[in-house]
Amino acid sequence: MKLTTRGRYAVTAMLDLAINGGSRPVSLADISGRQEISLSYLEQLFAKLRRGKLVVSARGPGGGYRLARSRAEIFVAQIIDAVDESVDVTNCQGKGNCHQGETCLTHHLWEDLSGQIHEFLSQISLGDLMAKRDPRQRSVRADGMLQTLSIR
Amino acid sequence: MKLTTRGRYAVTAMLDLAINGGSRPVSLADISGRQEISLSYLEQLFAKLRRGKLVVSARGPGGGYRLARSRAEIFVAQIIDAVDESVDVTNCQGKGNCHQGETCLTHHLWEDLSGQIHEFLSQISLGDLMAKRDPRQRSVRADGMLQTLSIR
DNA sequence: CTAATTCTTGACTAAAATAGTCGGGAATAG
DNA sequence: CTATTCCCGACTATTTTAGTCAAGAATTAG
């Protein structure tokens, strides 16, 4: 898991789409104007988001992009994964060298943490962010069920 | 909140320190060897970690670094904050322009999410990562108390 | 049909961040 | 004294980020 400015742009743009996209598509020019992200850069991002099946496009006048599914079914982790191809963290990729070394241990611990962050962001949908009724409430997936946990 | 390779290096190095640091300090040369991070780069990272009061140093032969406090009192968010100075996300920094605009809305939502990630990483200590008795158990701070939540 | 709109693609570029290098110091243990 | 280790600043190479440009394809409005 990586969390860069590009990922932030992507989430921001998708949020804009979720907010401003009703029945009709939203053009990149509109998003560019509202979010102050260069149009060409948005084009690059949306190419990846489209490949990631998160948005669908419509060309021609009145065209643009719309979410590929409902706000509740698009999660932050998916957006970031789509635009930020993940890096390999280990330097002994299953090669089995550095066996029992501290190297493997810390790398494993990091991967574990990274996985937890990913899991965390997999629980937050665009709909959750928009709803935001009570920011101190968050839903946590546990054993397949959704369990509401109030934090802070 | 940003999560880059630099932050990963820092957390990895701090984990190494937590694991290999007993009573005596650990030299950067040792960490460099184990984690395959260049010595000079580690020096830069540890300069920041020291300024962030996360480690203390000891010069001379047998010297090195040790954690500034116990493993249980050093949290991942603190490490990342120390080495990855955060960026400002908004483009209308409280100036009040773009009032009521969609721009402010999405930025606010992003900041909110970013804060949640930060809060999440503020709950995980080096000790937690090391303990890792059952990776499916994680502690979540709620209302000042620690509440154990089993996930997945 | 025509023209304007909008996505689509690829190549290129500027700027910033990342990762690493180098060389000289200062403290300190043995 | 001397080897070790942190400390510091300047410098550099590489990669990533962000943006530009240009040509083209699909589609809709009129």
Side-chain angles (χ1 to χ4, degrees), chain B residues 45-99:
Chain B
L45 292 180
F46 273 78
K48 296 187 177 197
L49 292 172
R50 194 168 54 89
R51 279 182 228 121
K53 314 266 190 222
L54 296 178
V55 296
V56 291
S57 62
R59 295 209 232 190
Y65 288 92
R66 66 184 79 197
L67 300 180
R69 39 188 194 274
S70 84
R71 301 145 165 61
E73 293 170 304
I74 296 181
F75 298 93
V76 175
Q78 297 173 328
I79 299 172
I80 292 173
D81 285 341
V83 301
D84 256 343
E85 49 273 2
S86 58
V87 278
D88 59 338
V89 168
T90 58
N91 43 17
C92 73
Q93 304 88 334
K95 282 186 223 145
N97 53 353
C98 97
H99 46 90

Side-chain angles (χ1 to χ4, degrees), chain B residues 86-133:
Chain B
S86 58
V87 278
D88 59 338
V89 168
T90 58
N91 43 17
C92 73
Q93 304 88 334
K95 282 186 223 145
N97 53 353
C98 97
H99 46 90
Q100 303 293 46
E102 315 288 354
T103 310
C104 275
L105 181 51
T106 48
H107 284 176
H108 185 264
L109 289 177
W110 173 262
E111 275 194 329
D112 214 60
L113 176 61
S114 184
Q116 286 192 17
I117 297 171
H118 193 274
E119 192 179 351
F120 176 74
L121 292 180
S122 295
Q123 292 159 10
I124 302 178
S125 72
L126 290 180
D128 289 336
L129 280 177
M130 283 178 62
K132 219 184 99 55
R133 321 158 238 275

Side-chain angles (χ1 to χ4, degrees), chain B residues 25-38:
Chain B
V26 177
S27 75
L28 292 189
D30 287 353
I31 298 179
S32 173
R34 275 191 297 264
Q35 303 303 332
E36 300 185 24
I37 305 172
S38 97

